[in-house]
Amino acid sequence: KMLIDRTRFAISTEETRYYLNGIYLHAGQNNEVQVLRAVATDGHRLARVEMPLPEGAAAMPSVIVPRKAVVEMARLLDEEDETLSLQLGSNHLKVTKGGITLTTKLVDGQFPDYEKVVPKDASRVLSGDRDTLKQGFQRASILSNEKYRGVRLAISPDSLMIQANNPEQEEAEETVPVQFSGDQLEIGFNVSYLLDVLSVIDSDQVQMSVSDANSSALLEAVDDNNAVYVVMPMRL
């Protein structure tokens, strides 16, 4: 449930790249620890979340669970806490919980090498209170362009200024307290993508790491390295 809840928002709805229309589930390693990893991306943002490898999953094939099946699995998991059994074949997944069985065909495609888009050397780090940041983005987003949803972030050592405007010449400006290491920076993002990430991070403190105004941002909880999110910048 945690893997699904924290990644499903980033599943692509674009039918031409059908291999992005689901959650990529596979076994992997993080600092010598074996993990089960869920990844979703639509090409503009990426969610990667992991948990300790469950019993029986060590030899599992890497699979793409389609969006509709993800929605049904989330419904199954919303109910009482029971053990979930997943059985993987070459092109099907069977999920069993109590007396309920869900069988789905898997997405037949190659998921891209997502590690290439996760920033490795983002040297400028902003940290702040999750709720404060979320509320600031929500207020500024009211006057963002309805189609592009762009906001400009002006980041300085102790504050983040969020600026938005729209074709009606209306403007919004919000300033929230943050800690920031690095030179002052201005960078643009789709505010909906930032709000989606802040809605699923389960921590009071979050951090955003960037290299420059043209680089993707890496967002994560300050006290949890099991989930990372990548959001591409916008030109404003």
Side-chain angles (χ1 to χ4, degrees):
K1 177 170 167 50
M2 183 271 290
L3 292 183
I4 289 172
D5 286 349
R6 296 192 190 180
T7 56
R8 61 190 286 196
F9 70 88
I11 295 174
S12 174
T13 55
E14 185 186 320
E15 297 303 329
T16 52
R17 291 193 289 178
Y18 65 93
Y19 48 85
L20 300 182
N21 295 156
I23 289 178
Y24 180 49
L25 271 184
H26 67 106
Q29 278 204 316
N30 184 353
N31 296 329
E32 309 301 318
V33 177
Q34 287 197 305
V35 295
L36 176 63
R37 190 172 282 168
V39 185
T41 182
D42 61 6
H44 302 289
R45 64 293 189 50
L46 177 142
R48 189 196 79 194
V49 184
E50 61 196 26
M51 61 177 280
L53 196 69
E55 183 181 340
M60 67 172 277
S62 300
V63 298
I64 305 171
V65 183
R67 183 174 61 248
K68 286 183 179 177
V70 169
V71 171
E72 293 303 324
M73 285 172 69
R75 284 182 186 153
L76 270 181
L77 291 162
D78 264 346
E79 295 157 23
E80 68 280 357
D81 193 17
E82 280 186 46
T83 298
L84 198 71
S85 166
L86 282 75
Q87 292 173 271
L88 284 162
S90 55
N91 55 10
H92 284 84
L93 166 68
K94 184 162 88 171
V95 182
T96 308
K97 188 184 118 175
I100 302 170
T101 299
L102 167 69
T103 303
T104 179
K105 191 177 180 189
L106 297 165
V107 176
D108 181 19
Q110 183 73 37
F111 201 81
D113 182 2
Y114 62 87
E115 290 290 1
K116 286 183 177 176
V117 303
V118 178
K120 302 290 191 293
D121 57 351
S123 55
R124 297 169 168 177
V125 181
L126 173 154
S127 60
D129 179 76
R130 184 184 73 96
D131 285 340
T132 303
L133 286 165
K134 186 177 174 183
Q135 289 165 19
F137 285 128
Q138 284 172 333
R139 287 193 293 267
S141 71
I142 294 168
L143 293 184
S144 65
N145 184 305
E146 286 184 15
K147 183 177 180 183
Y148 299 109
R149 304 287 285 161
V151 293
R152 177 180 280 104
L153 309 186
I155 313 169
S156 55
D158 56 3
S159 69
L160 166 67
M161 185 187 293
I162 308 161
Q163 301 168 311
N165 54 54
N166 60 33
E168 285 74 49
Q169 307 300 315
E170 297 169 324
E171 293 186 6
E173 194 171 285
E174 278 282 331
T175 301
V176 295
V178 295
Q179 294 79 50
F180 180 62
S181 60
D183 299 330
Q184 291 191 1
L185 175 70
E186 284 199 8
I187 187 168
F189 289 105
N190 180 316
V191 70
S192 297
Y193 295 167
L194 296 175
L195 285 170
D196 283 343
V197 172
L198 292 174
S199 295
V200 297
I201 288 181
D202 187 20
S203 173
D204 293 338
Q205 293 287 312
V206 297
Q207 66 181 35
M208 180 172 80
S209 309
V210 292
S211 294
D212 53 52
N214 301 310
S215 302
S216 296
L218 182 73
L219 289 96
E220 56 197 323
V222 169
D223 56 0
D224 177 11
N225 64 356
N226 293 322
V228 297
Y229 302 93
V230 180
V231 180
M232 289 181 65
M234 281 181 78
R235 292 190 184 277
L236 294 176

